Amino acid sequence: MASTPARVEHVIGGKRSQGESSPTHAVINPATGQQIAQVEMESMRAVESAVAAAYEAFPAWAATPVGDRCQVMFKYKSVLEQHFEELAGMIVQEHGKTMAEARGDVRRGIDCVEFACCAPTLLMGRTLPQIAVSSSFCRTEDKSGVGIDSTVDRVPLGVCVGITPFNFPVMVPLWMWPMAVACGNTFILKPSEKVPLSAVREVELAHEAGLPAGVLNLVTGGPKVVDALITHEDVRAVSFVGSSKVAKHVYETASKAGKRAQCMGGAKNYMVIMPDANRGAVIEGVVGSAFGNSGQRCLAGSVAIAVGDAAEWFVPAMMEAVNKIKVAAGNEPGVGMGPVIDVASKQRILGFIESGVQDGATLAVDGRRADCPAQGCFVGPTIFDHVRPGMRIADEEIFGPVLSVMREDTLDAAIATLNRSRYGNMGVIFTSSGYSARRFKSHAQAGMIGINVGVPAPMAVFPFAGWKQSFYGDLHANGEDAVKFYTESKVVVTRWM
Ligand code: NAD
């Protein structure tokens, strides 16, 4: 008889713990469809214990010199390097990424830890001496010794919460908690119930690196746990990454409860292909953007707008390139694309393909007929041509390996199509014209722009800068925005008699 898969434990106060009997979610290996673990979805006891542990740990951690806090981050960076392959292997197992993509997930996460090591510089306040003269105590003509000075310090907030999606199991949590913790906050991570194993390991390794108990906690769960965390009276700030519908809900609920919130949402990303573009760079860039991570990226290029006669060479070359992609489990040799996350995702993506056919788009490459393993959640790379605005495949986030090709006569028409989207995460142009690139950069309504770059993912020192329904809040993740998000400013006005 098959044994029950292990239950993923919470990590609270530096220790692994079970919550209470609550409904569970089955964690599967998407390449096989087999269950590998189960997670508790509704443990309110875990929520209360985690908030209590983080609340209790806050005063001592906030009082720890920032240089000492960063020593833990330096150590953590080296621990992550030692466990690099282990973490990447866990991502392949629970998410289905190819090994190369999983390594990228861990590497970009480590970048965030390195950035958090810069906290002493990033947290420096500002000073303006002699903003006024204290005239009542000034008995001499020389006023320089009786002035009033002003400074602004950046101080931590308290308990912060992070809720993360399935598609970057190691990196997205690392967007949040290393900077929050380096700034002197304590943290509760609520990872996606679909990929909790690598997140638990990430948190455990932080304790191996010397993070004191209670500074970083992890609670598994679903919507009820999220709602309890983001409205808890002892929580000060909420970072969220996931779909736009949930991002809006989390932003509104957390804000109403008086929390600071930054909520990254979904996307529909357009790539403009100009006739003068370098063809090799276009095909390499668009294949990577549309089909990398099986299209499950918020920076996935989902629509290619071919301008002028570009479609004449672009579409056949894309078909040829895509037909060469090997679709298989992420750890197979020569694999180009792994499975999608679960059966529900596969069904949703197949529904989009069917809607494209029904709406009259031309199915140039049919991923339903691709040579894919029979077991597991596989959908082959799919290309639609002659897609028009108003079709679901042109307007909605698919989050799967489906590329829609649209055609426009001019660059301005292509930009207008991009700007009609309710999302604004990314816009990309492939061109050899500085004029076209500059015009695109100036007029495309998206927070992240790629010029001859298919996935313009900002490095950790820059903000992850989605617009419109791709982001709810004011300060983005990463970069200086993150430092401001995880700290409060305190202005001090000083007068000495
Ligand atoms: P999701 O919105 O389903 O889940 C994200 C998190 O929210 C999970 O931890 C989940 O448990 C929780 N959640 C789900 N439903 C909830 C509800 N009703 N109330 C409260 N919490 C809830 O997203 P996903 O499917 O895990 O991830 C894919 C989505 O994330 C895509 O839309 C993608 O574009 C987006 N994403 C955005 C960014 C970005 O930076 N903008 C980055 C990565 C992924």
Side-chain angles (χ1 to χ4, degrees):
M1 208 168 81
S3 59
T4 315
R7 188 174 282 216
V8 178
E9 290 172 310
H10 313 281
V11 186
I12 297 171
K15 295 196 193 88
R16 285 186 178 233
S17 64
Q18 296 275 350
E20 68 233 42
S21 172
S22 91
T24 57
H25 174 86
V27 183
I28 62 156
N29 177 339
T32 62
Q34 275 167 359
Q35 187 176 351
I36 50 177
Q38 50 177 327
V39 275
E40 272 173 25
M41 288 296 275
E42 296 179 5
S43 174
M44 291 304 133
R45 195 163 71 197
V47 169
E48 283 307 325
S49 313
V51 176
Y55 191 79
E56 202 180 312
F58 174 67
W61 183 245
T64 302
V66 62
D68 294 358
R69 297 197 299 253
C70 286
Q71 286 309 315
V72 179
M73 288 298 137
F74 280 113
K75 181 81 195 300
Y76 185 50
K77 138 102 180 145
S78 113
V79 170
L80 287 175
E81 296 289 359
Q82 284 159 23
H83 292 268
F84 191 95
E85 289 298 311
E86 176 199 344
L87 285 165
M90 291 177 92
I91 295 172
V92 172
Q93 191 198 23
E94 66 179 348
H95 177 285
K97 287 182 198 236
T98 67
M99 197 62 192
E101 286 162 347
R103 288 185 179 123
D105 191 329
V106 182
R107 179 54 59 204
R108 294 281 80 82
I110 292 176
D111 289 350
C112 301
V113 178
E114 289 170 3
F115 182 50
C117 291
C118 306
T121 311
L122 294 165
L123 282 173
M124 275 202 267
R126 305 181 78 193
T127 302
L128 187 59
Q130 195 77 351
I131 53 161
V133 170
S134 172
S135 54
S136 49
F137 289 92
C138 184
R139 298 203 179 85
T140 67
E141 282 306 302
D142 175 12
K143 296 181 168 55
S144 60
V146 288
I148 297 177
D149 303 329
S150 195
T151 60
V152 57
D153 298 342
R154 301 218 71 92
V155 298
L157 302 170
V159 179
C160 302
V161 161
I163 299 138
T164 53
F166 77 81
N167 65 326
F168 280 89
V170 165
M171 179 191 78
V172 173
L174 291 175
W175 279 4
M176 300 175 180
W177 72 260
M179 186 53 83
V181 158
C183 289
N185 301 284
T186 54
F187 203 88
I188 301 159
L189 172 65
K190 204 301 286 172
S192 165
E193 62 277 21
K194 296 174 185 173
V195 291
L197 300 170
S198 48
V200 169
R201 191 71 184 122
E202 173 182 319
V203 168
E204 250 180 8
L205 292 174
H207 290 96
E208 276 183 31
L211 202 63
V215 172
L216 172 65
N217 308 275
L218 179 148
V219 174
T220 69
K224 283 192 181 161
V225 163
V226 170
D227 287 351
L229 284 169
I230 66 177
T231 53
H232 197 290
E233 61 174 348
D234 291 334
V235 168
R236 292 289 316 279
V238 173
S239 302
F240 172 89
V241 178
S243 58
S244 288
K245 188 169 157 235
V246 184
K248 185 166 186 277
H249 161 75
V250 169
Y251 183 71
E252 288 174 353
T253 309
S255 304
K256 203 168 162 201
K259 318 299 177 198
R260 187 177 283 200
Q262 52 171 195
C263 300
M264 276 56 77
K268 184 76 179 175
N269 301 310
Y270 296 75
M271 300 172 288
V272 175
I273 318 298
M274 297 301 286
D276 59 14
N278 177 307
R279 297 181 184 189
V282 169
I283 302 307
E284 189 192 345
V286 174
V287 166
S289 185
F291 303 111
N293 213 17
S294 305
Q296 301 170 117
R297 284 197 196 119
C298 67
L299 293 183
S302 182
V303 179
I305 309 178
V307 173
D309 60 7
E312 282 173 24
W313 55 264
F314 174 68
V315 175
M318 279 300 296
M319 290 169 67
E320 191 187 334
V322 156
N323 283 324
K324 288 185 194 148
I325 296 175
K326 177 176 171 182
V327 183
N331 49 8
E332 278 212 13
V335 60
M337 207 179 88
V340 296
I341 188 70
D342 56 18
V343 174
S345 266
K346 177 174 174 172
Q347 293 309 328
R348 191 194 66 245
I349 295 160
L350 294 180
F352 271 108
I353 296 175
E354 188 52 36
S355 83
V357 173
Q358 294 302 324
D359 287 344
T362 307
L363 189 52
V365 178
D366 187 351
R368 298 170 302 185
R369 297 181 192 286
D371 183 16
C372 297
Q375 304 295 317
C377 312
F378 290 92
V379 182
T382 300
I383 299 179
F384 278 105
D385 197 3
H386 300 287
V387 174
R388 298 297 311 151
M391 295 182 181
R392 285 185 62 213
I393 53 170
D395 298 342
E396 295 179 28
E397 182 176 42
I398 300 174
F399 222 56
V402 180
L403 177 71
S404 298
V405 181
M406 302 173 86
R407 293 155 186 248
E408 296 290 358
D409 291 335
T410 63
L411 171 60
D412 284 357
I415 295 173
T417 296
L418 181 157
N419 287 348
R420 269 194 295 271
S421 175
R422 59 181 179 275
Y423 298 105
N425 229 27
M426 166 185 119
V428 165
I429 186 168
F430 287 94
T431 182
S432 58
S433 153
Y435 171 82
S436 299
R438 193 167 185 280
R439 190 161 180 81
F440 182 80
K441 180 186 83 165
S442 305
H443 295 281
Q445 290 168 10
M448 289 167 277
I449 299 291
I451 296 172
N452 296 317
V453 173
V455 184
M459 297 300 283
V461 294
F462 290 103
F464 202 89
W467 287 9
K468 296 173 156 179
Q469 289 182 22
S470 296
F471 179 69
Y472 296 87
D474 303 295
L475 293 165
H476 292 89
N478 288 322
E480 265 188 88
D481 274 25
V483 181
K484 288 188 180 150
F485 182 79
Y486 291 123
T487 54
E488 195 114 67
S489 21
K490 180 180 274 184
V491 176
V492 182
V493 182
T494 306
R495 177 178 79 168
W496 290 101
M497 274 57 76

